[in-house]
Amino acid sequence: MDPPGDPERPIQPPECYRFDDVVVDAAAHTLNRDGLPQPVEPKAFAVLLILLRQAGQLVGRDQLLDAVWGHRHVTPGVLTRAIAQLRAALGDQAQAPRYIQTQHALGYRFIGQLLPASAAEDEPAVVAPVADAPVAESAPLPAMPPPRSRTHSRRTAGAWALLAGVLLAAVALGVWRWQHPPVPSRPPVADASIAVRPFTLAGGRGEERYFADGLATEVRNALAGVPGLRVAAPSQSDAPGLAAYDAQRWGRTVGVANVLDANVERARGTLRVRARLTDTASGATLWTGNYERDAADVFTLQGEFASEVVHALLGRLPEVDRQLGKRLAPTRDADAYDAYLRGLAELQRPRGEGSYERALDAFHRALARDPHFARAQAGICQIELGRLESISDAEAFRRARAACTQATRMDPTLAEGTLAMAEIARVGGEAPQAMALYRKAQADPALRAQAYVGMARTEGALGHDAQALDLFRQALALRPGDAQIYKALGYHHWLRGELGPAIEAYLGATQLQPDDSGLWSSLGGLYLANGDTAQAGRAFGMSLSIEPNAAALTNLGAMRFDAGDYAQAAEMFQRAASLQPDDYLHWGNLGDALAASPSTAAQDDAYALAALAWYRANLGDRRQALAALNAAQASGDQPGEVALWCAQVLFLLDDARGANRCVGIARSHGIPDGRIDALLKARGFVVAAADARIPGS
């Protein structure tokens, strides 16, 4: 039975609905896109019919749940999954919808332009049977390709203009609840406006991707500071390479008069850049530049390159030329700059738990070459701030504050330093100071979106949700393709227990940055909190397919533990502990799983018991810690490893005498001095001098 429409506004639907290259046959229950059948499960298809029959109107979540599932005593996640499946079938995107728009906490609206019924009937339908499995049980995690623009050959010019307006409105307003202001069908174009596309690589050398991306980012940020020149934020549809027609289409979409793209080649000590400035109205090339320099002279090349672009748009401005030269020469050491760009790439597109370490190593190498490289120090500051968000302890706060303070000392005018100190003030609970610093950081156009996010988080911490959401909206309007903004928005919703909006925000982030294992792991955690173990498992699987990481393994272990599969849980926890051996929670989880498993509960696993003692000691449970440690020692297995854990546990419990005794036992059983000293030093423990140790037996 087809779901009913709005009873107060009955609509007689045509046999077929058509919009763009999509044909939906209500009678045959088929959905075709580009002439190809798209399998859609029955519940999702029913939802689509309701939205089509009330096109342009908001259809409430409860109305959809009642009509399709027959009652409201189901988790709202079944509707979220149905919408995600429809978006995958239609080629739609949650963060920039063309067809299905989300009104958070309220419902959904079909916003596509329906063509007359006769137009749909003219095209023969390709029958594809609707899948039999219900959405609630087996809806797959929707495919999340990187967002991109699509060109439809049958779209008229008028329809394209309307689509551009809808797309901009959806991107600007983001993924949360508020009223949508009218948006013109075509954004205004200013003459002195430019978009900088990602630079391409000669020969497609993937290992140099970071270098080309870094040059594009640095040039874009430098141009953003030129008075009178409007620079578009990086777009979610950015892709290397531009034909003239592409520049015209994309320029109309983002509302700029000019597009800059370039090809970069670095080989055998020589750097070559071939640049082009295209007029988006006519597709004509306004300016081209070919540069060839010694690779060490990258700073001069960047300055000349950016100055020529400004000359072509605004005329010659000597003072601007000087400013650009200074902004684009943050160091004079080409190797330091190269290391900095590597670190920058890891921060801009993190790929998981290892990204911070790789970025930190790169920034330290940059500072080793140039100890006065303030922007590299600002990168270290940003990493420590990121760690602080995940650890949130006093030591992490101290490290972050020290790193950021050092960056501002190296260059008091550094806008990144101002933004960093604003973050320190926010985390430290100094809201007025944080807001003042964020406003100061907004003076740098390249940092404005990040400043809005910081202000949003500050307002959120104060309980000012409306102000926080408005600031997130402004940040996304500036940088609609920034996955980290969606991540911050999702975290904001999660803190408030708003799991539906949090899931959608993280889904948007994974679409924009599908190679970040951390985003997938966080999404899985949200699904798990929402009671959707199937989708959680798929998200964790996506995370682990990108790289092994402790977060996803721990969550999968928790799922297996809750399901009573203690052996599998123990295996997951063991793998997580091997990746992050310093995190005592992994060892505690492993101990719990081993203790719960009938096959291991009766066994004396000395190593696991000793690790469990470390876990208990970190929780401040002295009695349980000592009990686990005594059990580990009593087993007689792995005495050297147990003694090493013993030293760490007893140091933590302020028993230095006993800890040093355990150090002696570890040495006597062949544990190398270097390993003992390095481990205890990392923990912050001090081992007594050799003649002061109490020998073990």
Side-chain angles (χ1 to χ4, degrees):
M1 177 179 177
D2 287 340
D6 185 344
E8 298 182 3
R9 187 177 182 272
I11 297 176
Q12 297 298 323
E15 276 299 310
C16 293
Y17 297 89
R18 179 170 173 175
F19 43 97
D20 295 329
D21 56 359
V22 177
V23 177
V24 178
D25 189 323
H29 277 228
T30 58
L31 188 160
N32 299 303
R33 177 158 64 95
D34 280 331
L36 298 175
Q38 305 293 321
V40 177
E41 295 179 0
K43 300 294 189 185
F45 192 84
V47 170
L48 178 60
L49 285 182
I50 293 179
L51 296 177
L52 288 171
R53 288 169 178 169
Q54 301 183 62
Q57 299 181 52
L58 176 67
V59 183
R61 295 175 67 93
D62 288 343
Q63 181 182 345
L64 289 167
L65 288 169
D66 283 344
V68 177
W69 283 271
H71 56 77
R72 299 180 189 179
H73 302 296
V74 292
T75 171
V78 299
L79 179 56
T80 300
R81 290 194 298 277
I83 293 294
Q85 187 184 97
L86 289 174
R87 286 195 170 117
L90 297 172
D92 203 16
Q93 297 168 13
Q95 79 280 4
R98 293 185 295 148
Y99 304 129
I100 300 176
Q101 182 186 72
T102 303
Q103 191 106 8
H104 279 296
L106 297 179
Y108 300 91
R109 178 188 290 108
F110 181 80
I111 59 173
Q113 184 181 28
L114 291 176
L115 299 176
S118 59
E121 292 165 358
D122 289 340
E123 181 167 311
V126 179
V127 177
V130 177
D132 293 326
V135 173
E137 295 179 3
S138 61
L141 191 67
M144 299 295 175
R148 56 190 176 90
S149 299
R150 290 174 57 90
T151 303
H152 302 285
S153 59
R154 294 189 293 273
R155 180 175 295 131
T156 64
W160 170 252
L162 176 62
L163 175 61
V166 172
L167 179 61
L168 282 178
V171 169
L173 296 180
V175 290
W176 55 86
R177 177 194 337 130
W178 59 65
Q179 295 298 319
H180 302 302
V183 177
S185 62
R186 178 169 171 171
V189 175
D191 288 337
S193 57
I194 188 173
V196 180
R197 299 285 283 179
F199 294 170
T200 58
L201 285 165
R205 296 175 59 200
E207 69 274 11
E208 290 282 288
R209 180 75 265 164
Y210 77 93
F211 185 75
D213 285 347
L215 292 187
T217 297
E218 291 291 291
V219 169
R220 179 192 294 116
N221 291 345
L223 293 175
V226 175
L229 180 61
R230 183 169 64 85
V231 179
S235 167
Q236 65 202 60
S237 60
D238 274 345
L242 267 179
Y245 174 74
D246 292 325
Q248 289 178 275
R249 175 176 53 80
W250 193 75
R252 287 195 301 268
T253 302
V254 301
V256 294
N258 311 279
V259 170
L260 173 68
D261 64 308
N263 182 271
V264 177
E265 180 181 11
R266 188 172 58 160
R268 294 183 294 276
T270 300
L271 175 62
R272 298 181 182 89
V273 175
R274 291 174 289 280
R276 174 182 59 182
L277 188 65
T278 304
D279 179 84
T280 61
S282 64
T285 298
L286 299 178
W287 165 85
T288 60
N290 293 302
Y291 303 87
E292 182 172 328
R293 297 282 190 281
D294 186 280
D297 203 15
V298 58
F299 313 109
T300 302
L301 188 152
Q302 284 187 141
E304 291 179 1
F305 174 18
S307 292
E308 288 297 329
V309 173
V310 172
H311 297 166
L313 298 176
L314 300 175
R316 294 198 173 272
L317 303 170
E319 182 57 33
V320 169
D321 290 347
R322 285 190 289 273
Q323 292 174 358
L324 288 172
K326 181 180 179 180
R327 173 65 178 77
L328 290 168
T331 178
R332 281 298 176 185
D333 188 301
D335 289 335
Y337 190 58
D338 184 83
Y340 164 75
L341 293 182
R342 285 184 183 273
L344 193 64
E346 291 287 353
L347 284 185
Q348 289 180 332
R349 290 189 63 84
R351 290 171 285 159
E353 291 177 347
S355 283
Y356 278 162
E357 292 303 323
R358 290 188 293 267
L360 188 64
D361 177 68
F363 290 137
H364 277 305
R365 283 189 283 112
L367 284 167
R369 297 282 311 187
D370 180 359
H372 304 291
F373 195 170
R375 220 175 293 164
Q377 179 63 38
I380 294 176
C381 159
Q382 190 174 346
I383 291 169
E384 294 297 351
L385 285 169
R387 287 174 164 174
L388 175 60
E389 295 290 349
S390 60
I391 300 174
S392 298
D393 63 18
E395 180 59 25
F397 183 79
R398 185 197 64 76
R399 287 197 308 268
R401 183 167 56 187
C404 297
T405 301
Q406 178 64 14
T408 58
R409 285 175 180 165
M410 292 169 71
D411 184 356
T413 67
L414 191 68
E416 289 89 344
T418 301
L419 182 65
M421 296 312 294
E423 295 283 272
I424 292 293
R426 175 181 62 81
V427 176
E430 301 170 349
Q433 181 182 356
M435 294 297 281
L437 288 168
Y438 282 130
R439 292 188 185 98
K440 184 178 179 182
Q442 284 181 317
D444 188 329
L447 302 179
R448 194 164 294 153
Q450 292 171 261
Y452 276 129
V453 171
M455 294 169 72
R457 300 186 70 176
T458 305
E459 293 285 11
L462 296 173
H464 304 157
D465 285 357
Q467 294 92 323
L469 291 176
D470 184 62
L471 288 161
F472 275 121
R473 176 186 65 80
Q474 294 181 65
L476 274 174
L478 287 171
R479 298 180 69 93
D482 192 327
Q484 299 307 307
I485 299 179
Y486 282 95
K487 176 183 175 181
L489 174 62
Y491 188 71
H492 170 88
H493 284 302
W494 177 78
L495 287 175
R496 283 146 188 79
E498 300 165 353
L499 293 179
I503 287 172
E504 291 220 30
Y506 270 92
L507 273 172
T510 57
Q511 285 184 321
L512 292 164
Q513 203 163 307
D515 56 350
D516 184 349
S517 66
L519 288 176
W520 285 106
S521 180
S522 296
L523 177 61
L526 289 170
Y527 276 129
L528 197 58
N530 205 34
D532 191 340
T533 55
Q535 290 284 44
R538 293 185 181 100
F540 293 139
M542 282 292 297
S543 177
L544 291 172
S545 71
I546 297 168
E547 67 168 1
N549 64 91
L553 287 166
T554 297
N555 280 307
L556 280 173
M559 289 174 61
R560 300 316 307 158
F561 188 94
D562 291 343
D565 189 348
Y566 304 119
Q568 279 289 322
E571 181 184 342
M572 296 291 180
F573 294 144
Q574 176 72 62
R575 290 171 61 191
S578 67
L579 290 171
Q580 290 184 345
D582 290 341
D583 190 332
Y584 63 88
L585 291 174
H586 300 319
W587 298 108
N589 289 334
L590 175 59
D592 289 341
L594 291 172
S597 175
S599 63
T600 56
Q603 298 176 11
D604 292 326
D605 189 321
Y607 190 89
L609 287 169
L612 181 60
W614 168 246
Y615 167 73
R616 295 294 187 187
N618 275 276
L619 294 180
D621 191 340
R622 183 184 185 91
R623 184 180 64 83
Q624 291 280 4
L626 292 176
L629 185 59
N630 287 333
Q633 292 171 325
S635 74
D637 294 331
Q638 297 179 278
E641 295 293 340
V642 169
L644 193 55
W645 279 114
C646 170
Q648 297 171 76
V649 170
L650 295 183
F651 269 126
L652 194 62
L653 297 178
D654 294 323
D655 183 357
R657 183 182 179 87
N660 277 294
R661 180 186 297 113
C662 288
V663 168
I665 295 173
R667 284 199 170 97
S668 71
H669 284 280
I671 303 296
D673 287 352
R675 182 182 171 203
I676 295 173
D677 295 340
L679 181 60
L680 296 181
K681 181 180 179 181
R683 306 282 198 214
F685 303 144
V686 179
V687 181
D691 57 0
R693 291 197 187 100
I694 298 176
S697 58

